[in-house]
Amino acid sequence: MGQLFSKKNKEVFSAPLGIDNPVTVQVLGICSALAVTAKLEPAIVMGLSVTVITAFSNVVISLLRKTIPNRIRIIVQLVVVAALVTIVSEILKAFAYDVSVQLSVYVGLIITNCILMGRLEAFAMQNGPWESFLDGVGNGLGYAKILVIVAFFRELLGSGTLLGFNILNYEPIQKIGYVNNGLMLMPPMALIIVACIIWYQRSRHKELQEESN
C-alpha cells in the first residue's frame, strides 16, 4: 500500500493539479476550454469525461506498451481512445442527454485532445498501469479544474446563474445597477480568464516565469 501511494506517485497525481497544470502551464486543451465553458454544467461533465477517458486509456496503453510495434503506436492509441470516447458519449446520451447536446461535437473531439494524446505518448508508454492511472486522473482533474473555474465566472457574470439556478437576476441586485455581461458568454472571454489564471499562477510560482533576454 505504501508503494502504491509513494512520494513519486503522489507527485505524479498532484503536479497536474497545480505546478504542472496541462492547461495553464503546458497550454494544452485550450480549444475545448473556449467552447464548453459558457455554462458550468457542461464544463463539469466535459472535465469528468476527459478525466475518465485519460485515466483508462493510460491504463490500457500501459498494459499493452511492450506489445505495441513502435511504428503503429499512434494508431493503437487512437483506437483505444476512440473506443473509450464512444462509450462515454453513449453513456452521456443515455443519462444526460441535454448536456450531451450542449457539448455537441466536443465529446467526439476528445479523441484528438492534445492532453490525452500527450500523456499516452509521454507517460503511459514508459510507465506501469498504476502510475499511468494516477497520471491520467491527475491531468484530467487538472484540466477539469480550469474548465470549472472559467465556467463559474462566465455563467455567473454572463447569465447571472450557476448550474441553472438564479444567483444574480433579482430585482434588488438589478436596482443597484447590476446587469449581466453578455460579453462573458463569448469565447474570447474564456481565453481572457484562462490568461488571468496563468498570470496568477506564475506570479505565485516564480519558477514558472520565463527569463527575459
Side-chain angles (χ1 to χ4, degrees):
M1 184 64 71
Q3 188 174 1
L4 290 177
F5 296 99
S6 64
K7 183 178 179 180
K8 179 183 177 182
N9 286 345
K10 288 179 180 177
E11 185 176 345
V12 165
F13 173 78
S14 63
L17 296 172
I19 197 70
D20 195 25
N21 187 276
V23 179
T24 60
V25 178
Q26 301 175 41
V27 196
L28 302 174
I30 295 292
C31 296
S32 53
L34 303 183
V36 303
T37 55
K39 292 186 179 296
L40 191 55
E41 186 179 18
I44 292 172
V45 173
M46 184 67 169
L48 292 177
S49 298
V50 169
T51 300
V52 170
I53 293 168
T54 306
F56 286 99
S57 60
N58 262 16
V59 170
V60 173
I61 294 300
S62 178
L63 290 170
L64 297 176
R65 71 187 189 282
K66 294 181 180 178
T67 61
I68 301 175
N70 188 58
R71 64 183 180 277
I72 63 167
R73 70 187 190 282
I74 301 297
I75 297 174
V76 174
Q77 292 169 12
L78 285 171
V79 169
V80 170
V81 173
L84 289 169
V85 167
T86 301
I87 293 171
V88 168
S89 178
E90 293 304 312
I91 290 174
L92 288 177
K93 288 177 182 177
F95 297 101
Y97 182 75
D98 291 341
V99 177
S100 176
V101 171
Q102 291 180 57
L103 291 174
S104 184
V105 299
Y106 294 102
V107 173
L109 289 176
I110 294 175
I111 296 172
T112 57
N113 190 300
C114 42
I115 297 172
L116 197 151
M117 296 305 297
R119 298 327 297 166
L120 293 177
E121 185 69 12
F123 197 91
M125 289 293 290
Q126 284 81 39
N127 293 274
W130 175 245
E131 292 83 359
S132 297
F133 176 77
L134 291 177
D135 179 79
V137 172
N139 277 275
L141 291 178
Y143 167 83
K145 170 185 170 183
I146 301 303
L147 257 64
V148 168
I149 293 173
V150 173
F152 175 88
F153 287 106
R154 291 185 70 192
E155 183 177 356
L156 179 64
L157 301 178
S159 301
T161 62
L162 284 176
L163 294 174
F165 294 101
N166 185 23
I167 304 296
L168 298 176
N169 296 318
Y170 291 105
E171 188 174 344
I173 297 176
Q174 293 174 344
K175 279 185 176 180
I176 63 175
Y178 175 80
V179 178
N180 290 330
N181 186 350
L183 184 63
M184 294 297 294
L185 300 177
M186 299 180 67
M189 283 308 302
L191 200 60
I192 292 172
I193 296 173
V194 170
C196 290
I197 298 171
I198 292 174
W199 168 78
Y200 172 76
Q201 188 174 29
R202 296 198 176 195
S203 67
R204 287 193 60 193
H205 300 281
K206 302 299 183 182
E207 63 271 28
L208 294 176
Q209 298 180 13
E210 298 176 1
E211 293 183 4
S212 57
N213 295 326

